[in-house]
Amino acid sequence: MDELLLRSLTPSVLTVLVRRGADFAAAEDAVQDALVEALRVWPADPPRDPKGWLVTVAWRKFLDATRADTARRRREDRVEEEPRPGPTPAVDDTLQLYFLCAHPSLTPASAVALTLRAVGGLTTRQIAEAYLVPEATMAQRISRAKRTVSGVRLDRPGDVATVLRVLYLVFNEGYSGDVDLAAEAIRLTRQLAARIDHPEVAGLLALMLLHHARRAARTAPDGSLVPLAEQDRGRWDTALIAEGVVILQAALARDRLGEFQAQAAIAALHADAPTAEETDWVQIVEWYDELALLTDNPVVRLNRAVAVGEADGPRPGLAALAALDTSLPRHAAVAAYLHERAGDLATAARLYAEAAHKASNLAERDHLTRQAARLNARRR
């Protein structure tokens, strides 16, 4: 059973049901039921047309659920609309579904959460971590979003900014976990850039390409994380870097700076440095200052503290860090790094251990644990 195939087909099947008149919540339930049926039936009897099979079964599931609450005449009308089994046109509706989920009836935050859950394939916990809120809070937000669009015809697409935010978060989750998810985010952003001439769309695409170019060097053969400063830059994808830089330069030339362009500029400065020691940290701090003016995201200021520590020394970095909430994800890891740079190995080891305890990603947890062990060994 190819679960990646099922996940890739889900957006298109969901779009077909919505286009045929199903409200979003009911369509999502029907598609999920069809996926469960596929997992049961396909191993023994795989269909020749997987998408057509899923559309047919999902539509039948939707009709079955509708019959309980619909009058006989309306029920018979819907049965006549049931799609016949057979080949289905191979049309990629994923990007359109992203726009449909960003419905004007939803707040941007709710639209992003709903799309990440229904289309992006992220779990409620992953979405909550991306938004720095408790999982229960995010679950309630997604439930409210489903109730809001239930019964609403999704024929009014949302705005580009919301779709960009969703693609950005999907890429971030994929970049730290499932490579296919990151590649899918890049594919959809390329499609969006081909359709919409907007500097922030270009900025997001450049950002994704510049980060993805370093992916092969981010992990060792044993799966452990390799920090940026220690990565083998010969393994970076120079073609992706060159493409990202060209796209970014064209976007910046339009003088309509946005947060994705600023983030891409920081990534480009890292990619441009032949060695970690030659990184232009002063200019990176300046870009973080620009980024902080564009967004209230506390993670930006956390990353800026690291850059200040590299540009001006660990003490100024710790001073910048002191203004931030210690509950921020990776706050303890940043503090540990800066304290180590300042020569306070005992505090750094304690903070690395604390950061490892809080890390949600296994590879990151192992890396931080090894850092704490390394410093404790040096102190003996």
Side-chain angles (χ1 to χ4, degrees):
M1 169 57 58
D2 191 345
E3 294 187 15
L4 283 176
L5 172 63
L6 284 175
R7 185 169 66 183
S8 69
L9 291 174
T10 298
S12 294
V13 176
L14 186 55
T15 300
V16 171
L17 266 65
V18 170
R19 284 177 173 172
R20 290 180 176 274
D23 67 76
F24 187 86
E28 185 184 19
D29 290 341
V31 172
Q32 292 301 318
D33 288 342
L35 294 177
V36 171
E37 186 72 6
L39 289 170
R40 185 182 69 82
V41 172
W42 286 12
D45 185 21
R48 285 175 295 183
D49 179 17
K51 180 181 174 182
W53 189 98
L54 285 172
V55 168
T56 300
V57 173
W59 186 255
R60 286 173 179 165
K61 297 287 186 183
F62 167 71
L63 291 181
D64 289 343
T66 302
R67 288 189 182 99
D69 303 308
T70 306
R72 182 177 181 82
R73 185 177 62 181
R74 180 57 179 160
R75 182 179 67 235
E76 292 175 351
D77 289 341
R78 285 190 178 275
V79 170
E80 292 177 1
E81 297 171 6
E82 179 180 332
R84 296 181 181 278
T88 305
V91 179
D92 184 359
D93 299 311
T94 309
L95 187 58
Q96 182 178 3
L97 191 56
Y98 271 64
F99 273 96
L100 291 175
C101 286
H103 197 267
S105 64
L106 297 172
T107 64
S110 295
V112 169
L114 177 62
T115 313
L116 289 172
R117 185 71 186 91
V119 190
L122 274 63
T123 65
T124 303
R125 179 185 58 78
Q126 289 170 324
I127 302 169
E129 289 175 352
Y131 270 87
L132 310 180
V133 299
E135 183 175 351
T137 300
M138 184 54 66
Q140 292 174 357
R141 184 179 299 177
I142 294 172
S143 294
R144 286 196 299 270
K146 287 183 177 180
R147 287 196 299 271
T148 299
V149 299
S150 180
V152 173
R153 190 64 183 267
L154 298 181
D155 55 0
R156 296 166 56 207
D159 67 335
V160 174
T162 300
V163 174
L164 287 179
R165 177 62 52 188
V166 174
L167 290 170
Y168 173 69
L169 291 173
V170 169
F171 176 81
N172 276 353
E173 186 60 38
Y175 187 66
S176 61
D178 185 349
V179 64
D180 297 292
L181 200 58
E184 174 69 358
I186 292 175
R187 184 184 71 84
L188 293 173
T189 306
R190 285 190 186 279
Q191 287 186 9
L192 187 60
R195 299 181 189 182
I196 299 177
D197 183 20
H198 192 288
E200 271 295 81
V201 177
L204 179 58
L205 178 57
L207 174 64
M208 289 180 175
L209 295 175
L210 289 164
H211 276 303
H212 207 57
R214 303 200 301 259
R215 187 175 186 93
R218 290 184 72 245
T219 54
D222 63 359
S224 60
L225 288 182
V226 180
L228 177 60
E230 301 172 18
Q231 288 177 15
D232 177 2
R233 300 186 178 219
R235 298 184 65 195
W236 290 1
D237 190 326
T238 55
L240 283 184
I241 292 173
E243 182 185 4
V245 168
V246 168
I247 293 171
L248 173 63
Q249 289 174 339
L252 292 175
R254 300 176 67 173
D255 198 24
R256 292 167 56 193
L257 184 63
E259 63 173 296
F260 294 126
Q261 295 169 73
Q263 289 191 56
I266 294 169
L269 286 168
H270 284 297
D272 187 55
T275 65
E277 293 73 23
E278 296 173 87
T279 303
D280 189 346
W281 286 105
V282 172
Q283 193 172 169
I284 287 176
V285 172
E286 293 174 354
W287 274 110
Y288 271 121
D289 289 337
E290 292 283 352
L291 189 56
L293 294 174
L294 293 166
T295 175
D296 291 329
N297 190 336
V299 176
V300 170
R301 299 191 182 278
L302 185 69
N303 291 333
R304 179 185 179 277
V306 176
V308 169
E310 297 289 352
D312 302 328
R315 295 300 176 190
L318 286 167
L321 187 66
L324 302 177
D325 187 345
T326 58
S327 66
L328 277 173
R330 296 188 173 87
H331 185 285
V334 171
Y337 174 74
L338 292 172
H339 276 289
E340 180 183 358
R341 291 273 319 279
D344 187 353
L345 301 189
T347 301
R350 175 179 58 79
L351 288 169
Y352 275 130
E354 178 184 329
H357 179 71
K358 294 179 178 178
S360 58
N361 180 282
L362 181 59
E364 183 179 355
R365 184 182 308 132
D366 289 345
H367 171 72
L368 293 168
T369 300
R370 285 194 296 270
Q371 294 294 86
R374 174 180 58 82
L375 293 186
N376 284 326
R378 284 179 57 185
R379 294 170 54 223
R380 293 194 183 106

